[in-house]
Amino acid sequence: TEQAPVRDIATAARTGPGTRPTYLAANLAYTTKGQWLTFLENSLYTRQNQWWLWGRVSAGYFPLFYYGVGPHTEQADSNLMKHRYLTLEGKALRRVHGAFSTGPHYRLESFFDVSWQFPSQIPAGLPGGTGGKSSGIGWSAQYDNRNSTTTPTRGRYLMVDYLHQAGWLGSDFDYDQFALDARTYLPVRHARDVIALQLYGEWNGAEVPVQSM
């Protein structure tokens, strides 16, 4: 038998057979009512998954119906809000141990060209009622032992995000945001099918703009 060259073994160790694939995704949607949205997203893993670098830029014009805030809104309270938006977001997570990684997170959102169907019905001082900018920095923690990041059939995924929006970051709004994303994938029928379950929750402070509710 022949022994593999030491150089080749070292290269394989640095690259790592379990290094996850990188992808670049783009999307553009347009409706018959003139609504549109688009995004460009990248996911980059370095060798042996030591770093996960993720970024996304999105923009769109997609009118929404606003019914007010609270549990006692009615269908008659609907008020069409037209607006345009631009979002920039990025994360840089470093693997700490096994499937656990953590790192900084930043998001910038801008809402502009805002108009209302019934302007007189909008409460005075409604955050985001006339548009504005939301800029927040925070931290993310992730546990991901799925067998694939794009088409998983088994494993678990947990992402916890915290963002603080503040004036010193250029934000027009001051509030905290916390998000939780938990998923599990269960192979069934001898792994020919999969049951995917997801639990997602998001909590925002009082001054969250209406576009981010």
Side-chain angles (χ1 to χ4, degrees):
T1 59
E2 296 183 0
Q3 184 177 3
V6 175
R7 181 179 60 183
D8 294 343
I9 296 176
T11 300
R14 289 197 305 271
T15 304
T19 300
R20 292 184 159 178
T22 291
Y23 71 79
L24 179 66
N27 180 66
L28 174 63
Y30 185 84
T31 75
T32 57
K33 293 186 177 182
Q35 305 157 322
W36 62 271
L37 54 85
T38 184
F39 75 82
L40 179 66
E41 177 180 303
N42 81 282
S43 175
L44 170 64
Y45 285 92
T46 63
R47 290 179 177 179
Q48 299 179 341
N49 305 319
Q50 288 299 312
W51 284 93
W52 178 51
L53 307 176
W54 176 85
R56 180 184 176 105
V57 54
S58 59
Y61 167 73
F62 215 92
L64 302 171
F65 282 102
Y66 174 71
Y67 295 90
V69 179
H72 303 296
T73 57
E74 302 290 342
Q75 181 71 27
D77 298 329
S78 65
N79 196 339
L80 183 64
M81 177 187 66
K82 296 181 179 180
H83 74 288
R84 303 180 191 274
Y85 69 88
L86 174 66
T87 303
L88 302 174
E89 187 173 7
K91 297 180 181 181
L93 275 58
R94 178 170 175 78
R95 185 167 65 90
V96 178
H97 179 72
F100 178 74
S101 58
T102 185
H105 178 196
Y106 176 76
R107 181 191 298 157
L108 172 66
E109 296 178 290
S110 179
F111 312 106
F112 51 95
D113 293 343
V114 178
S115 62
W116 295 87
Q117 182 181 10
F118 306 112
S120 60
Q121 297 181 9
I122 300 305
L126 176 69
T130 58
K133 181 171 58 179
S134 180
S135 177
I137 193 170
W139 206 259
S140 294
Q142 175 185 259
Y143 177 84
D144 186 0
N145 70 350
R146 297 174 297 173
N147 61 335
S148 171
T149 57
T150 53
T151 55
T153 58
R154 63 180 183 273
R156 293 180 175 83
Y157 173 88
L158 176 65
M159 176 72 78
V160 178
D161 287 323
Y162 168 76
L163 281 172
H164 176 62
Q165 329 282 333
W168 61 272
L169 291 168
S171 179
D172 297 321
F173 315 100
D174 192 346
Y175 68 98
D176 293 323
Q177 181 186 69
F178 177 80
L180 172 69
D181 186 354
R183 313 175 196 178
T184 186
Y185 300 86
L186 308 173
V188 295
R189 294 208 324 152
H190 305 290
R192 288 180 294 178
D193 299 311
V194 61
I195 296 176
L197 305 174
Q198 180 181 22
L199 174 66
Y200 181 83
E202 184 176 314
W203 296 264
N204 295 287
E207 203 178 340
V208 57
V210 61
Q211 294 88 350
S212 297
M213 287 186 176

